[in-house]
Amino acid sequence: MCGIIGYVGKKDCVPILLEGLRRLEYRGYDSSGVAVLSSDGVIVEKTAGKIGLLEKKVKQASPSGTAGVAHTRWATHGEPTTENAHPHLDCSRKIAVVHNGIIENFGVLKEKLQSEGHVFTTETDTEVLAHLIEEYYDGNLERAVGNALSMVEGTYGIAVVCSDSPGKIVGARNGSPLVVGIGKGEYLLASDVAAMLRHTNQVVYLDDGEMAVLEADGFSTTTISQQRVSKKVEEVSWNLEMIQKAGFKHFMLKEIFEQPQSLRNAMRGRLLPEEGSSRLGGLNMSDSELRKIDRIIITACGTSWHAALIGEYMLEEHARIPVEVEYASEFRYRNPILREGTVVIVISQSGETADTLAAMREAKKKGARALGICNVVGSTIARESDGGVYIHAGPEIGVASTKAFTSQLAALGVLTVYLGRMRTMSIDEGKLIVSELKSIPEKVEKILSESSKIEEIAKEYYSHSNFIYLGRGWNFPVALEGALKLKEISYIHAEGYPAAEMKHGPIALIDENMPVVFICIRDSAYDKIMSNMEEVRARRGKIIAVATEGDKEIRKRADHVIYVPETLGVLTPLLTVIPFQLLAYHIAVLRGCDVDQPRNLAKSVTVE
Ligand code: G6P
């Protein structure tokens, strides 16, 4: 949420900053700006709207310099106007600040600064930082930033430049990610490694309470109170190619089509077909500790929360461990009962979601072991968890999560086998799950080849204003995920329900204008869902059904059928979700929506 990029080196920073902003656009895209340390002082260009508009503005003004910072915003305080866009300046217009996060005590600080004569020009919380740094500035920028931050409550990742120190960027973090990129005679600072991959894959991840000072000939790291800290340089395995569209019209489509490969990557080296078992190296728990787990709480947000719900079915059904799933935003403010034997699993694609991170910290504070299922290597959750599983989905850039979701499910499947085989799971049951997991990528490929058929269905329904998604058992969370995908990118109101719940309310909405999307797989719930379908037909609702290959019966009831190959019950969500991703995608495109950057959303939600 909000993207920061800074550059200091020998090259002109402007094109580097603009390209970095493009890579960070998924984090927020309602306004953007740059501050360049030029020979005429700090030059700031900013604008409401997408980065393309900023590029035009910058082209006209053509500022240049070898150090600068830039920002793409997801508004929290103040509307997404040009004035409220970052960077923000102090009264002397020497100090420019970009910020990701929320300054919670900004009201008190603003009043105090105003009473001391500071003049504010925006509605943002961030502007107080610029004035506060000005208040402390005595020629040493890092000390002024450190002193200012000691007054601040809230979360931040910031980058600051000052025209008195033309070759310097000061960054600091508390709760919002910041990474230092180490190039040759150049250094970068960004919210995310994607913004710097063109220049380097050598990075240092800042931790909360830390600062970095970047100059063309080196960088240093300290705490906010100026104590030196030495940090490990890490190598990023992602490359530039992975963050490009590769000929696809949208990142989301590319990511949907990458799923056979991302699923293989999630399971590579982890399945042991001969032993009907699996291997996970990163849990950091001994076998005897793993055997003592008698309860699991999974917590997450958004799409990752849907993966958690499916994980509950997997782990309870096959590993026989009681599982509870809770929204991270709720978990963090409850007083959850965490006894010995309870393990908390947090699931997060980005590894930075504020609520999920806070939930994990709360669990750890209470003495629970916290495991993370994350995609982004080096993310805060990945680093602070006691152990976990990387899903290796590669960079996911489309705001609506697709490949990360299926890879989370694959990781949960592998974990289920791992924990199950230590308990009651027989070798035959283990072998069956492992072989079904192995065959999933190929089955996903088959569903993807039906994309044009799904597009035809989308053409028929894209102008509807409401959809209902219904499923049962392990496919109930898929109904939630299908509805969420549609809402997120097409702005159509959609609701997911357990199919049998329909008669307790949603049925009142059904008439000939209501498309109802069913997941009607041949499993133990099949007959019941067929009855639910009849209830919709009786009210002239339109039915789109996702069904098991070869099911002819369903054609008599549904207006449209999308087939998926057969697999083991708890693994069906890995297949049934694919048509829903494609349906949402095609509908959004037909409605002319910005698929990769849907309104009001952000990929990585680093505020509460
Ligand atoms: C945001 C994104 C969703 C994502 C959720 C959780 O809302 O738009 O796509 O599912 O955050 O993100 P995480 O990175 O923790 O999985």
Side-chain angles (χ1 to χ4, degrees):
M1 188 152 282
C2 294
I4 291 175
I5 170 90
Y7 171 89
V8 54
K10 296 186 186 70
K11 298 179 196 143
D12 181 11
C13 68
V14 176
I16 296 170
L17 295 178
L18 290 175
E19 200 240 2
L21 282 186
R22 282 260 177 227
R23 304 265 176 238
L24 292 170
E25 206 172 5
Y26 72 90
R27 300 180 69 90
Y29 32 80
D30 52 41
S31 52
S32 57
V34 293
V36 180
L37 288 167
S38 80
S39 46
D40 302 327
V42 184
I43 311 266
V44 172
E45 292 296 338
K46 51 189 192 173
T47 183
K50 292 283 181 73
I51 287 164
L53 294 175
L54 179 70
E55 283 168 342
K56 276 191 198 146
K57 218 168 176 180
V58 168
K59 207 169 171 197
Q60 274 165 13
S62 61
S64 75
T66 53
V69 293
H71 186 267
T72 176
R73 181 169 185 241
W74 186 89
T76 59
H77 294 64
E79 279 183 40
T81 58
T82 298
E83 293 69 43
N84 290 335
H86 302 211
H88 293 293
L89 292 164
D90 66 330
C91 297
S92 71
R93 302 185 70 79
K94 280 185 180 176
I95 296 167
V97 180
V98 293
H99 167 224
N100 171 16
I102 292 179
I103 307 299
E104 281 162 9
N105 60 340
F106 88 101
V108 186
L109 293 172
K110 187 169 176 175
E111 254 174 51
K112 187 166 178 287
L113 287 159
Q114 278 172 326
S115 73
E116 285 161 2
H118 289 266
V119 179
F120 282 72
T121 56
T122 78
E123 301 161 284
T124 65
D125 53 335
T126 305
E127 195 185 352
V128 297
L129 283 176
H131 293 282
L132 206 53
I133 295 167
E134 178 181 29
E135 197 58 31
Y136 284 107
Y137 185 64
D138 60 1
N140 182 316
L141 185 61
E142 47 275 38
R143 199 163 55 221
V145 172
N147 285 334
L149 291 177
S150 68
M151 304 296 293
V152 157
E153 284 161 25
T155 55
Y156 51 80
I158 58 166
V160 187
V161 289
C162 173
S163 56
D164 287 351
S165 316
K168 184 187 278 185
I169 300 172
V170 178
R173 103 159 240 179
N174 184 42
S176 304
L178 264 193
V179 192
V180 177
I182 304 164
K184 291 196 182 79
E186 57 185 14
Y187 292 85
L188 295 105
L189 187 69
S191 310
D192 179 324
V193 292
M196 50 177 75
L197 279 182
R198 186 180 289 285
H199 309 278
T200 183
N201 65 353
Q202 304 291 307
V203 300
V204 165
Y205 296 100
L206 291 189
D207 285 306
D208 281 351
E210 290 180 351
M211 285 178 58
V213 180
L214 278 59
E215 288 169 286
D217 56 0
F219 79 101
S220 60
T221 44
T222 64
T223 62
I224 281 160
S225 52
Q226 308 292 290
Q227 306 296 313
R228 285 216 163 257
V229 279
S230 65
K231 305 283 298 177
K232 202 167 121 214
V233 177
E234 299 185 42
E235 194 174 305
V236 180
S237 60
W238 290 358
N239 58 42
L240 206 56
E241 205 183 307
M242 291 162 95
I243 55 170
Q244 284 161 350
K245 282 191 198 152
F248 283 91
K249 198 166 161 208
H250 295 99
F251 279 112
M252 183 180 175
L253 191 63
K254 176 191 171 216
E255 287 154 10
I256 290 173
F257 275 84
E258 271 174 354
Q259 288 177 109
Q261 195 49 42
S262 53
L263 283 164
R264 286 185 188 107
N265 293 346
M267 295 185 279
R268 177 163 300 122
R270 289 174 167 167
L271 297 178
L272 304 171
E274 313 266 281
E275 296 156 47
S277 188
S278 66
R279 172 169 46 207
L280 282 167
L283 298 182
N284 299 336
M285 290 174 79
S286 66
D287 284 2
S288 87
E289 285 172 322
L290 288 166
R291 267 186 217 105
K292 281 190 196 128
I293 299 174
D294 58 13
R295 178 170 164 250
I296 294 176
I297 298 177
I298 317 183
T299 185
C301 302
T303 288
S304 298
W305 182 75
H306 295 156
L309 290 176
I310 297 164
E312 178 179 12
Y313 283 98
M314 290 181 181
L315 287 158
E316 290 203 341
E317 181 85 8
H318 292 286
R320 309 301 298 152
I321 304 172
V323 177
E324 291 156 44
V325 176
E326 191 148 7
Y327 282 117
S329 54
E330 294 297 318
F331 179 89
R332 63 182 291 189
Y333 289 118
R334 283 207 307 120
N335 191 9
I337 299 166
L338 301 171
R339 297 195 203 91
E340 216 192 330
T342 305
V343 159
V344 174
I345 299 180
V346 297
I347 305 183
S348 175
Q349 184 285 128
S350 62
E352 301 292 349
T353 302
D355 284 324
T356 312
L357 177 58
M360 185 183 82
R361 286 178 177 161
E362 183 62 23
K364 286 184 70 171
K365 198 178 285 168
K366 290 199 154 64
R369 175 114 33 179
L371 300 178
I373 297 183
C374 291
N375 188 32
V376 179
V377 176
S379 58
T380 311
I381 292 176
R383 283 181 297 133
E384 287 190 19
S385 55
D386 297 308
V389 186
Y390 276 124
I391 61 170
H392 300 304
E396 190 181 65
I397 293 167
V399 166
S401 185
T402 52
K403 64 172 179 173
F405 176 72
T406 45
S407 293
Q408 288 164 348
L409 297 186
L412 286 161
V414 175
L415 181 68
T416 299
V417 176
Y418 193 59
L419 296 179
R421 290 288 283 122
M422 291 176 175
R423 294 173 168 74
T424 54
M425 188 186 290
S426 67
I427 186 161
D428 285 345
E429 187 183 356
K431 277 185 174 173
L432 176 68
I433 304 176
V434 167
S435 102
E436 288 298 329
L437 276 170
K438 269 177 86 86
S439 68
I440 291 287
E442 220 171 288
K443 293 176 179 171
V444 169
E445 251 154 34
K446 205 163 173 204
I447 305 168
L448 290 171
S449 69
E450 301 289 301
S451 178
S452 55
K453 275 195 202 146
I454 297 170
E455 189 175 1
E456 289 309 310
I457 301 175
K459 280 183 187 154
E460 209 165 308
Y461 292 97
Y462 76 94
S463 56
H464 283 68
S465 316
N466 299 286
F467 273 68
I468 294 178
Y469 284 70
L470 301 173
R472 291 184 87 142
W474 33 73
N475 278 308
F476 154 56
V478 179
L480 297 179
E481 176 61 8
L484 178 67
K485 284 287 88 75
L486 192 66
K487 274 187 269 224
E488 282 179 311
I489 60 170
S490 73
Y491 321 139
I492 292 174
H493 172 234
E495 299 203 35
Y497 271 95
E501 274 294 302
M502 177 183 66
K503 50 191 174 296
H504 299 293
I507 201 163
L509 302 171
I510 293 171
D511 60 17
E512 64 278 16
N513 295 316
M514 177 65 86
V516 183
V517 187
F518 276 93
I519 308 151
C520 188
I521 292 301
R522 278 211 184 274
D523 61 11
S524 52
Y526 181 78
D527 292 336
K528 310 269 177 227
I529 298 200
M530 289 295 244
S531 309
N532 299 140
M533 230 180 248
E534 288 294 358
E535 290 154 12
V536 171
R537 265 163 59 82
R539 285 152 188 91
R540 289 185 290 155
K542 294 276 176 293
I543 297 177
I544 303 167
V546 171
T548 311
E549 241 170 31
D551 181 356
K552 294 205 179 78
E553 195 54 32
I554 199 152
R555 290 209 168 273
K556 297 184 195 146
R557 292 184 173 83
D559 297 282
H560 309 271
V561 182
I562 307 164
Y563 286 112
V564 299
E566 205 166 344
T567 187
L568 183 74
V570 291
L571 302 183
T572 54
L574 281 146
L575 304 179
T576 51
V577 75
I578 310 287
F580 292 170
Q581 297 170 345
L582 287 166
L583 187 65
Y585 172 80
H586 290 304
I587 288 179
V589 170
L590 287 161
R591 287 168 76 93
C593 297
D594 189 341
V595 173
D596 284 336
Q597 292 166 359
R599 72 181 179 205
N600 304 340
L601 298 181
K603 180 90 189 140
S604 172
V605 181
T606 54
V607 295
E608 257 193 67

